[in-house]
Amino acid sequence: MKVGVLALQGAAELHLAALRSIGAAAVPVRRPDELADVDRLILPGGESTTISMMLDANGLTGPLAERLAGGMSTLGTCAGLLLLASEVTDGRDDQHCFGALDISARRNAYGPQTESFEADLPIAALGPSPMTAVFIRSPIVERVGPEVEVLARLDGHPVLCRQGRAWGCTFHPELSGDLRLHRLFCEETA
Amino acid sequence: MRVKRGLAEMLKRGVIMDVVTAEHARIAEDAGAVAVMALERVPADIRRDGGVARMSPPEMIESIVGAVTIPVMAKARIGHFAEAQVLEALGVDYIDESEVLTPADEAHHIDKWQFTVPFVCGATNLGEALRRISEGAAMIRSKGEAGTGNIIEAVRHLRSITGDIRRITVADSAELYDWAKRLQAPVALVREIAEAGRLPVPLFCAGGVATPADASLVMQLGAEATFVGSGIFKSDNPAARAKAVVEATTNFDDPAILLKVSRGLGEAMPGLELGNLETRLAERGW
C-alpha cells in the first residue's frame, strides 16, 4: 500500500516522516501521475488558498475530485480538512472544497497566530491517553451532516470527524510526534 | 515553541510577498502567496530614499490585515522590542526583526522568548542563525541583500548555513565544542544540528529574489520557502510575476514547469551590482 501526501505547499514533509516512521511507503504527490499511483492520500496543512490554486496550476483538481468521488481513503488536516469540506466560510470564493466530508468549516476561525494553541485531546478511537493536538490558525467546523461521525470535540466543536473513507481534523497530528492518528488512518479498512 | 514553529511549517514551499498597500496584498493573495509582509516601503525604495526606516504605522498594517485571508507579517527594527510589542498587540501573525529597517540597538536583538507571537530573523551564516534561535526566533531566513534584485548574497548565506550544517554532522563530539566557540553559539544547539542534520527551525530565503529561476535556485540550495520583497512590485507585471514565482517555488525541481512560468513576464526589477552599494543591509545584526 502506497500513501501519498499532497506536497504542493505546506507541512507535507512532516506527514511523510510520520508515515515512514510507522512503516508506510509514503510518497509526495505533485502531479496527476503521482496521484494515480497512490492508494491513500493525506492533504496536509498549509494555506488552503495557495494549495487550491496550485491544484489548478498542476492539473490535479479534476483527478483529485475523481479519486475522492471514487472513495479513496483520505485524511485532511487543517487546510486539508477545508479541501474535503462541502462548504468553507471566510475563505476565498474561488477556493476548492471537494465535499467528501459533509461539513461546513470556518477558515482561520480562532483569530491570528497569537490565538494558536495546544490542547490535550481525548480521542476514544486512539485509546485512553489524550493526544497533544496543535491548532495553528485552525478552522472551526460549524455544521456536520447526518452521515458524518464526530470522533473528537473541543469546546463543543468537532475537531476530528470522518465520513466513509474521508477523515478530517482541524489540528495538526504531524506536529506533535504522536503517530496514533496516522496509524489508525493507514490501518482502517472501512 | 511548537505552536510558533508550527506556522512556519505551514508556510513551507510557499512565497511570502512584501506589500505596501491593501491592493498589493490582494494581488499577492490572488497569485497564491502564503503570507504577506506589510511594510511602508519595499527595500528598493528604502535604499533609494535613505533616512531612518521604522515599523509601519498601525493603520497601514490593519488595512492589509483587513484585505486578505492569509497570514500577515510585519517588520520591527533590530532590538526594538517596543515596536514588537505594538505589532503583537495589533495581532500580526509573525514579526520579522529585520535588518531592512534601521537598527534600534547596536548590541542586542529582541528577547523573543518574551512574546507569544513568533519571530523570523535574518542570518548570513550559521552562527548568526543559532544566536537568533537561542533568542527565540521560530524561523530563520537568509538576509541576502534586500532591494537589489541580485541573488548572490542570498546564495552566499544559504550555502554558508547549509555547508556548515553538513560539516557539523561529521564532526566528533570534541569538535562540537570548537564549532560552538567558532560560531559564537550555544553548544546545545550545535549538538542538535549534529544529530538532526538541519536547523531546529525552518530555513527560508530572503533578499534578492526577482525571477522564477531565482526562487528555484534558492529552493534547490536548501531554502524551504521564499520571501520576495521588491522583486514583485518593482517589476513590469506584478500579478503575472507573483504567480510565476509561486508556481516556481512549488515546482522548483521541475525545469519544464520553470520554463513555462518564466515566459511572458516582461521586465524584472532593475538589479544593482553589490560593489556599487553605499549601504549593505546584511551587515546589520550581531
Side-chain angles (χ1 to χ4, degrees), chain A residues 70-85:
Chain A
M72 171 177 56
S73 285
T74 310
L75 167 64
T77 64
C78 197
L81 169 134
L82 296 179
L83 287 171
L84 293 177

Side-chain angles (χ1 to χ4, degrees), chain A residues 10 16 24 35 37 55 59 69 73-74 76 86 89 96 100 104 119-120 123 144 153 157-158 167:
Chain A
L16 289 166
L35 177 62
D37 197 37
L55 283 171
S73 285
T74 310
S86 48
T89 43
H96 293 300
S104 302
D120 284 336
I123 304 175
V144 295
R153 288 179 189 271
H157 301 294
W167 302 61

Side-chain angles (χ1 to χ4, degrees), chain B residues 14-18 43 142-155 158 204-219 223 225-235 241-242 244-246 248-249 268-271:
Chain B
V15 181
I16 301 141
M17 299 181 193
D18 279 3
S142 65
K143 284 183 177 171
E145 192 55 39
T148 62
N150 191 336
I151 200 66
I152 188 169
E153 290 300 295
V155 168
L158 286 171
F204 288 13
C205 173
V209 173
T211 69
D214 286 346
S216 167
L217 174 68
V218 296
M219 294 293 287
T226 312
F227 286 83
V228 186
S230 321
I232 304 278
F233 290 101
K234 287 288 171 192
S235 74
R241 185 163 294 266
V245 172
V246 169
T249 301
M269 72 175 283

Side-chain angles (χ1 to χ4, degrees), chain A residues 154-171:
Chain A
L154 185 71
D155 301 329
H157 301 294
V159 294
L160 171 63
C161 50
R162 68 179 290 194
Q163 179 176 355
R165 293 195 177 106
W167 302 61
C169 57
T170 62
F171 56 90

Side-chain angles (χ1 to χ4, degrees), chain A residues 7-9 30 54 58, chain B residues 13 246-253:
Chain A
L8 298 171
Q9 192 277 316
R30 286 185 203 100
M54 289 303 106
N58 280 24
Chain B
R13 228 181 169 96
V246 169
E247 288 191 40
T249 301
T250 289
N251 299 298
F252 67 84
D253 48 5

Side-chain angles (χ1 to χ4, degrees), chain A residues 9 58 92 107 113 118, chain B residues 2 10 30 69 93 251:
Chain A
Q9 192 277 316
N58 280 24
R92 285 172 59 95
R107 185 164 173 234
Q113 170 64 9
E118 283 184 14
Chain B
R2 200 153 47 188
M10 300 311 138
D30 287 347
T69 66
D93 295 296
N251 299 298

